[in-house]
Amino acid sequence: MILIVGASGVLGGRIANLLLDAGKPVRALGRTPAKLEALRARGAEVVQGDLRDRASLDRACAGVRQVLTTAAAFETRQMAQVDGQGNRNLVDAARAAGVAHFVFTSAHAARADSPVDFFRAKFAAEEYLRASGVPWTVLRPAAFMERWGETIGGAIAGKGIATILGSGENPINFVSVEDVARVAVQVLDDPDAPGRSVPIGGPENLSMEEVARIYERVLGVTAKRKRAPLPVMRILGAVTAPVSPVLSRMMRAGVMMDTTDQTLGPSETLRRYPIQPTRMEDWVRAHHAAPSAPRASA
Ligand SMILES: NC(=O)c1ccc[n+]([C@@H]2O[C@H](COP(=O)([O-])OP(=O)(O)OC[C@H]3O[C@@H](n4cnc5c(N)ncnc54)[C@H](OP(=O)(O)O)[C@@H]3O)[C@@H](O)[C@H]2O)c1
């Protein structure tokens, strides 16, 4: 049995579906089981649980061979309780249940000295898992193109506006959720995965300006730029911290994206876990048809 924590989310849901496609037994944990009905209909066992509730995790881990978690609370005030104590609760529950392999979804940006509390929490959770004695694998994906591409270019279609954080010139690696999910299911099948950190990047490092230009090219429009200047993000990141930790975190993440190395080169990962990596332009084309593009007749 494979327990997926975060199965109601974008990545966790995709991984659960790929496992079900392959006929694997899946237990999907969610705070709101109603969100997991589609997975239940496909044969998953659904359990109610919360990373902040250790007893619910003990129940969820019973009889489980592998745990994979994608859960995170980046955009909530409970981030520390979920990504900090919550992840530690899950590791402890997995150890108590004798789980054979724990796969933790971290991030390429996770590090001990990150300016963003969320990425420090991710790194601390990695360290906790590595020291736990439970056989572990850490997935370290780059920025998701679904999330960031749409942040930058999603409003080009309707409003003709591209959103650029900072200079928009810093190269960033973008990976598609589908590709991360395809690597994750191979990791679960790999007897040599325990003890490995697995960087998962897309095929290109692109600046936000380059992403905006991809959307413009695909949609056949020229977009205005809505800019969040670096000094504004820096000031907002500092002054909003006591009153709005979520806004503060977003601003600091924006600064981090524009001012630190966000690139990822070709890695060992693709040799070990072969996938056909998705290019940003192909993803945008697949999800946004140009309004003026001629349609093929039936
Ligand atoms: N977005 C990026 O660019 C990026 C880049 C690298 C890594 N990542 C990481 O990739 C992972 C998956 O991202 P995603 O976009 O799929 O996230 P998502 O769609 O926001 O899903 C988050 C999941 O976490 C669950 N969750 C939140 N609080 C919980 C709690 N207290 N107890 C149990 N579950 C809880 C949510 O379940 P509910 O239905 O209960 O809310 C949801 O299933 C995350 O760990 C993220 O940090 C993301």
mmCIF file of all heavy atoms in Angstrom, residues 41-75:
data_model
loop_
_atom_site.group_PDB
_atom_site.id
_atom_site.type_symbol
_atom_site.label_atom_id
_atom_site.label_comp_id
_atom_site.label_asym_id
_atom_site.label_seq_id
_atom_site.Cartn_x
_atom_site.Cartn_y
_atom_site.Cartn_z
ATOM 1 N N ALA A 41 -13.308 6.843 -6.575
ATOM 2 C CA ALA A 41 -14.039 6.200 -7.682
ATOM 3 C C ALA A 41 -13.099 5.373 -8.558
ATOM 4 O O ALA A 41 -13.521 4.414 -9.194
ATOM 5 C CB ALA A 41 -14.747 7.270 -8.519
ATOM 6 N N ARG A 42 -11.817 5.756 -8.593
ATOM 7 C CA ARG A 42 -10.843 5.007 -9.403
ATOM 8 C C ARG A 42 -10.204 3.862 -8.618
ATOM 9 O O ARG A 42 -9.308 3.193 -9.126
ATOM 10 C CB ARG A 42 -9.752 5.944 -9.907
ATOM 11 C CG ARG A 42 -10.262 7.030 -10.863
ATOM 12 C CD ARG A 42 -9.154 7.500 -11.779
ATOM 13 N NE ARG A 42 -8.629 6.408 -12.560
ATOM 14 C CZ ARG A 42 -7.342 6.280 -12.909
ATOM 15 N NH1 ARG A 42 -6.466 7.178 -12.544
ATOM 16 N NH2 ARG A 42 -6.944 5.252 -13.610
ATOM 17 N N GLY A 43 -10.607 3.674 -7.337
ATOM 18 C CA GLY A 43 -10.102 2.518 -6.591
ATOM 19 C C GLY A 43 -9.196 2.853 -5.425
ATOM 20 O O GLY A 43 -8.728 1.940 -4.736
ATOM 21 N N ALA A 44 -8.928 4.147 -5.187
ATOM 22 C CA ALA A 44 -8.076 4.491 -4.042
ATOM 23 C C ALA A 44 -8.869 4.343 -2.751
ATOM 24 O O ALA A 44 -10.078 4.549 -2.719
ATOM 25 C CB ALA A 44 -7.578 5.927 -4.176
ATOM 26 N N GLU A 45 -8.135 4.002 -1.693
ATOM 27 C CA GLU A 45 -8.722 4.013 -0.345
ATOM 28 C C GLU A 45 -8.537 5.449 0.167
ATOM 29 O O GLU A 45 -7.438 6.004 0.051
ATOM 30 C CB GLU A 45 -7.933 3.036 0.513
ATOM 31 C CG GLU A 45 -8.551 2.703 1.840
ATOM 32 C CD GLU A 45 -7.582 1.836 2.650
ATOM 33 O OE1 GLU A 45 -7.147 0.773 2.144
ATOM 34 O OE2 GLU A 45 -7.264 2.233 3.773
ATOM 35 N N VAL A 46 -9.595 6.036 0.688
ATOM 36 C CA VAL A 46 -9.510 7.432 1.134
ATOM 37 C C VAL A 46 -9.550 7.485 2.648
ATOM 38 O O VAL A 46 -10.404 6.843 3.278
ATOM 39 C CB VAL A 46 -10.670 8.259 0.523
ATOM 40 C CG1 VAL A 46 -10.778 9.628 1.189
ATOM 41 C CG2 VAL A 46 -10.467 8.407 -0.980
ATOM 42 N N VAL A 47 -8.594 8.235 3.235
ATOM 43 C CA VAL A 47 -8.612 8.401 4.690
ATOM 44 C C VAL A 47 -8.567 9.883 5.029
ATOM 45 O O VAL A 47 -7.917 10.671 4.347
ATOM 46 C CB VAL A 47 -7.437 7.673 5.397
ATOM 47 C CG1 VAL A 47 -7.570 6.174 5.276
ATOM 48 C CG2 VAL A 47 -6.094 8.127 4.854
ATOM 49 N N GLN A 48 -9.292 10.226 6.097
ATOM 50 C CA GLN A 48 -9.275 11.605 6.579
ATOM 51 C C GLN A 48 -8.057 11.775 7.470
ATOM 52 O O GLN A 48 -7.725 10.893 8.278
ATOM 53 C CB GLN A 48 -10.570 11.868 7.368
ATOM 54 C CG GLN A 48 -10.975 13.326 7.482
ATOM 55 C CD GLN A 48 -10.203 14.076 8.577
ATOM 56 O OE1 GLN A 48 -9.766 13.468 9.538
ATOM 57 N NE2 GLN A 48 -10.048 15.365 8.406
ATOM 58 N N GLY A 49 -7.346 12.879 7.316
ATOM 59 C CA GLY A 49 -6.175 13.106 8.163
ATOM 60 C C GLY A 49 -5.648 14.511 8.008
ATOM 61 O O GLY A 49 -6.033 15.237 7.083
ATOM 62 N N ASP A 50 -4.788 14.881 8.936
ATOM 63 C CA ASP A 50 -4.216 16.232 8.952
ATOM 64 C C ASP A 50 -2.799 16.100 9.500
ATOM 65 O O ASP A 50 -2.582 15.406 10.505
ATOM 66 C CB ASP A 50 -5.075 17.128 9.863
ATOM 67 C CG ASP A 50 -4.699 18.595 9.762
ATOM 68 O OD1 ASP A 50 -3.485 18.920 9.772
ATOM 69 O OD2 ASP A 50 -5.620 19.426 9.674
ATOM 70 N N LEU A 51 -1.857 16.746 8.837
ATOM 71 C CA LEU A 51 -0.465 16.655 9.301
ATOM 72 C C LEU A 51 -0.304 17.166 10.729
ATOM 73 O O LEU A 51 0.648 16.802 11.416
ATOM 74 C CB LEU A 51 0.456 17.450 8.364
ATOM 75 C CG LEU A 51 0.767 16.801 7.011
ATOM 76 C CD1 LEU A 51 1.536 17.762 6.121
ATOM 77 C CD2 LEU A 51 1.555 15.506 7.186
ATOM 78 N N ARG A 52 -1.245 17.983 11.185
ATOM 79 C CA ARG A 52 -1.121 18.518 12.553
ATOM 80 C C ARG A 52 -1.730 17.577 13.581
ATOM 81 O O ARG A 52 -1.728 17.878 14.766
ATOM 82 C CB ARG A 52 -1.796 19.901 12.616
ATOM 83 C CG ARG A 52 -1.081 20.952 11.774
ATOM 84 C CD ARG A 52 -1.947 22.144 11.506
ATOM 85 N NE ARG A 52 -3.159 21.755 10.781
ATOM 86 C CZ ARG A 52 -4.151 22.569 10.491
ATOM 87 N NH1 ARG A 52 -4.098 23.831 10.868
ATOM 88 N NH2 ARG A 52 -5.212 22.147 9.831
ATOM 89 N N ASP A 53 -2.290 16.454 13.133
ATOM 90 C CA ASP A 53 -2.993 15.532 14.022
ATOM 91 C C ASP A 53 -2.288 14.169 13.959
ATOM 92 O O ASP A 53 -2.551 13.358 13.069
ATOM 93 C CB ASP A 53 -4.458 15.444 13.549
ATOM 94 C CG ASP A 53 -5.237 14.367 14.279
ATOM 95 O OD1 ASP A 53 -4.697 13.741 15.223
ATOM 96 O OD2 ASP A 53 -6.397 14.135 13.884
ATOM 97 N N ARG A 54 -1.375 13.952 14.904
ATOM 98 C CA ARG A 54 -0.529 12.749 14.850
ATOM 99 C C ARG A 54 -1.358 11.461 14.839
ATOM 100 O O ARG A 54 -1.027 10.507 14.116
ATOM 101 C CB ARG A 54 0.445 12.771 16.047
ATOM 102 C CG ARG A 54 1.220 11.503 16.307
ATOM 103 C CD ARG A 54 2.254 11.195 15.220
ATOM 104 N NE ARG A 54 2.685 9.813 15.348
ATOM 105 C CZ ARG A 54 3.712 9.377 16.062
ATOM 106 N NH1 ARG A 54 4.466 10.257 16.709
ATOM 107 N NH2 ARG A 54 4.015 8.096 16.131
ATOM 108 N N ALA A 55 -2.440 11.429 15.628
ATOM 109 C CA ALA A 55 -3.232 10.184 15.683
ATOM 110 C C ALA A 55 -3.791 9.831 14.306
ATOM 111 O O ALA A 55 -3.835 8.652 13.914
ATOM 112 C CB ALA A 55 -4.365 10.334 16.704
ATOM 113 N N SER A 56 -4.199 10.863 13.545
ATOM 114 C CA SER A 56 -4.749 10.578 12.203
ATOM 115 C C SER A 56 -3.652 10.011 11.295
ATOM 116 O O SER A 56 -3.931 9.200 10.407
ATOM 117 C CB SER A 56 -5.358 11.841 11.581
ATOM 118 O OG SER A 56 -4.345 12.759 11.172
ATOM 119 N N LEU A 57 -2.405 10.415 11.536
ATOM 120 C CA LEU A 57 -1.300 9.917 10.702
ATOM 121 C C LEU A 57 -0.935 8.486 11.081
ATOM 122 O O LEU A 57 -0.582 7.674 10.218
ATOM 123 C CB LEU A 57 -0.083 10.845 10.837
ATOM 124 C CG LEU A 57 -0.367 12.323 10.501
ATOM 125 C CD1 LEU A 57 0.883 13.162 10.712
ATOM 126 C CD2 LEU A 57 -0.876 12.477 9.064
ATOM 127 N N ASP A 58 -1.033 8.175 12.380
ATOM 128 C CA ASP A 58 -0.792 6.787 12.806
ATOM 129 C C ASP A 58 -1.804 5.857 12.140
ATOM 130 O O ASP A 58 -1.441 4.785 11.642
ATOM 131 C CB ASP A 58 -0.894 6.677 14.331
ATOM 132 C CG ASP A 58 0.312 7.296 15.025
ATOM 133 O OD1 ASP A 58 1.405 7.294 14.427
ATOM 134 O OD2 ASP A 58 0.156 7.803 16.149
ATOM 135 N N ARG A 59 -3.070 6.289 12.113
ATOM 136 C CA ARG A 59 -4.103 5.455 11.460
ATOM 137 C C ARG A 59 -3.790 5.313 9.967
ATOM 138 O O ARG A 59 -3.867 4.226 9.395
ATOM 139 C CB ARG A 59 -5.491 6.099 11.637
ATOM 140 C CG ARG A 59 -6.070 5.956 13.038
ATOM 141 C CD ARG A 59 -7.556 6.335 13.062
ATOM 142 N NE ARG A 59 -7.812 7.729 12.728
ATOM 143 C CZ ARG A 59 -7.747 8.743 13.592
ATOM 144 N NH1 ARG A 59 -7.440 8.516 14.855
ATOM 145 N NH2 ARG A 59 -7.994 9.987 13.211
ATOM 146 N N ALA A 60 -3.393 6.423 9.350
ATOM 147 C CA ALA A 60 -3.158 6.411 7.892
ATOM 148 C C ALA A 60 -1.955 5.552 7.524
ATOM 149 O O ALA A 60 -1.908 4.963 6.437
ATOM 150 C CB ALA A 60 -2.962 7.839 7.383
ATOM 151 N N CYS A 61 -0.948 5.489 8.402
ATOM 152 C CA CYS A 61 0.291 4.746 8.079
ATOM 153 C C CYS A 61 0.175 3.248 8.360
ATOM 154 O O CYS A 61 1.063 2.477 7.950
ATOM 155 C CB CYS A 61 1.474 5.317 8.869
ATOM 156 S SG CYS A 61 2.067 6.905 8.229
ATOM 157 N N ALA A 62 -0.879 2.840 9.049
ATOM 158 C CA ALA A 62 -0.991 1.418 9.419
ATOM 159 C C ALA A 62 -1.056 0.551 8.162
ATOM 160 O O ALA A 62 -1.876 0.784 7.263
ATOM 161 C CB ALA A 62 -2.245 1.205 10.270
ATOM 162 N N GLY A 63 -0.147 -0.426 8.079
ATOM 163 C CA GLY A 63 -0.159 -1.371 6.955
ATOM 164 C C GLY A 63 0.396 -0.798 5.657
ATOM 165 O O GLY A 63 0.206 -1.389 4.587
ATOM 166 N N VAL A 64 1.076 0.337 5.749
ATOM 167 C CA VAL A 64 1.567 0.998 4.543
ATOM 168 C C VAL A 64 3.036 0.632 4.312
ATOM 169 O O VAL A 64 3.818 0.577 5.248
ATOM 170 C CB VAL A 64 1.412 2.536 4.714
ATOM 171 C CG1 VAL A 64 2.341 3.300 3.808
ATOM 172 C CG2 VAL A 64 -0.038 2.939 4.471
ATOM 173 N N ARG A 65 3.421 0.379 3.046
ATOM 174 C CA ARG A 65 4.823 0.066 2.734
ATOM 175 C C ARG A 65 5.598 1.328 2.378
ATOM 176 O O ARG A 65 6.747 1.500 2.740
ATOM 177 C CB ARG A 65 4.872 -0.932 1.569
ATOM 178 C CG ARG A 65 6.218 -1.626 1.414
ATOM 179 C CD ARG A 65 6.151 -2.726 0.363
ATOM 180 N NE ARG A 65 5.882 -2.206 -0.971
ATOM 181 C CZ ARG A 65 6.821 -1.691 -1.767
ATOM 182 N NH1 ARG A 65 8.058 -1.636 -1.382
ATOM 183 N NH2 ARG A 65 6.483 -1.234 -2.967
ATOM 184 N N GLN A 66 4.926 2.238 1.620
ATOM 185 C CA GLN A 66 5.591 3.474 1.206
ATOM 186 C C GLN A 66 4.697 4.680 1.499
ATOM 187 O O GLN A 66 3.473 4.596 1.341
ATOM 188 C CB GLN A 66 5.883 3.437 -0.297
ATOM 189 C CG GLN A 66 6.968 2.437 -0.684
ATOM 190 C CD GLN A 66 7.158 2.360 -2.186
ATOM 191 O OE1 GLN A 66 6.232 1.977 -2.897
ATOM 192 N NE2 GLN A 66 8.332 2.713 -2.670
ATOM 193 N N VAL A 67 5.337 5.762 1.904
ATOM 194 C CA VAL A 67 4.636 7.045 2.087
ATOM 195 C C VAL A 67 5.246 8.038 1.110
ATOM 196 O O VAL A 67 6.475 8.120 1.005
ATOM 197 C CB VAL A 67 4.816 7.587 3.524
ATOM 198 C CG1 VAL A 67 4.272 9.010 3.638
ATOM 199 C CG2 VAL A 67 4.151 6.681 4.540
ATOM 200 N N LEU A 68 4.391 8.755 0.389
ATOM 201 C CA LEU A 68 4.885 9.871 -0.431
ATOM 202 C C LEU A 68 4.062 11.096 -0.061
ATOM 203 O O LEU A 68 2.827 11.035 -0.078
ATOM 204 C CB LEU A 68 4.736 9.566 -1.925
ATOM 205 C CG LEU A 68 5.257 10.673 -2.864
ATOM 206 C CD1 LEU A 68 5.834 10.076 -4.147
ATOM 207 C CD2 LEU A 68 4.184 11.707 -3.216
ATOM 208 N N THR A 69 4.736 12.170 0.325
ATOM 209 C CA THR A 69 3.988 13.377 0.644
ATOM 210 C C THR A 69 4.344 14.527 -0.288
ATOM 211 O O THR A 69 5.522 14.752 -0.582
ATOM 212 C CB THR A 69 4.164 13.821 2.112
ATOM 213 O OG1 THR A 69 3.416 15.040 2.305
ATOM 214 C CG2 THR A 69 5.621 14.062 2.484
ATOM 215 N N THR A 70 3.295 15.202 -0.748
ATOM 216 C CA THR A 70 3.440 16.445 -1.523
ATOM 217 C C THR A 70 2.791 17.597 -0.767
ATOM 218 O O THR A 70 2.715 18.707 -1.271
ATOM 219 C CB THR A 70 2.750 16.330 -2.900
ATOM 220 O OG1 THR A 70 1.343 16.137 -2.669
ATOM 221 C CG2 THR A 70 3.282 15.176 -3.724
ATOM 222 N N ALA A 71 2.288 17.332 0.439
ATOM 223 C CA ALA A 71 1.509 18.354 1.160
ATOM 224 C C ALA A 71 2.383 19.541 1.525
ATOM 225 O O ALA A 71 3.572 19.401 1.816
ATOM 226 C CB ALA A 71 0.905 17.739 2.418
ATOM 227 N N ALA A 72 1.782 20.711 1.506
ATOM 228 C CA ALA A 72 2.485 21.940 1.883
ATOM 229 C C ALA A 72 1.439 23.017 2.131
ATOM 230 O O ALA A 72 0.314 22.924 1.645
ATOM 231 C CB ALA A 72 3.433 22.385 0.776
ATOM 232 N N ALA A 73 1.844 24.028 2.906
ATOM 233 C CA ALA A 73 0.904 25.103 3.245
ATOM 234 C C ALA A 73 1.549 26.470 3.017
ATOM 235 O O ALA A 73 1.490 27.348 3.862
ATOM 236 C CB ALA A 73 0.452 24.940 4.701
ATOM 237 N N PHE A 74 2.149 26.621 1.818
ATOM 238 C CA PHE A 74 2.876 27.858 1.482
ATOM 239 C C PHE A 74 2.005 29.098 1.685
ATOM 240 O O PHE A 74 2.457 30.092 2.237
ATOM 241 C CB PHE A 74 3.346 27.783 0.019
ATOM 242 C CG PHE A 74 4.092 28.992 -0.466
ATOM 243 C CD1 PHE A 74 5.463 29.098 -0.258
ATOM 244 C CD2 PHE A 74 3.445 30.026 -1.130
ATOM 245 C CE1 PHE A 74 6.163 30.217 -0.704
ATOM 246 C CE2 PHE A 74 4.140 31.146 -1.575
ATOM 247 C CZ PHE A 74 5.502 31.234 -1.361
ATOM 248 N N GLU A 75 0.754 29.010 1.232
ATOM 249 C CA GLU A 75 -0.084 30.213 1.213
ATOM 250 C C GLU A 75 -0.999 30.315 2.423
ATOM 251 O O GLU A 75 -2.099 30.860 2.329
ATOM 252 C CB GLU A 75 -0.914 30.249 -0.084
ATOM 253 C CG GLU A 75 -0.053 30.552 -1.292
ATOM 254 C CD GLU A 75 -0.811 30.516 -2.596
ATOM 255 O OE1 GLU A 75 -1.997 30.884 -2.606
ATOM 256 O OE2 GLU A 75 -0.205 30.114 -3.608
#
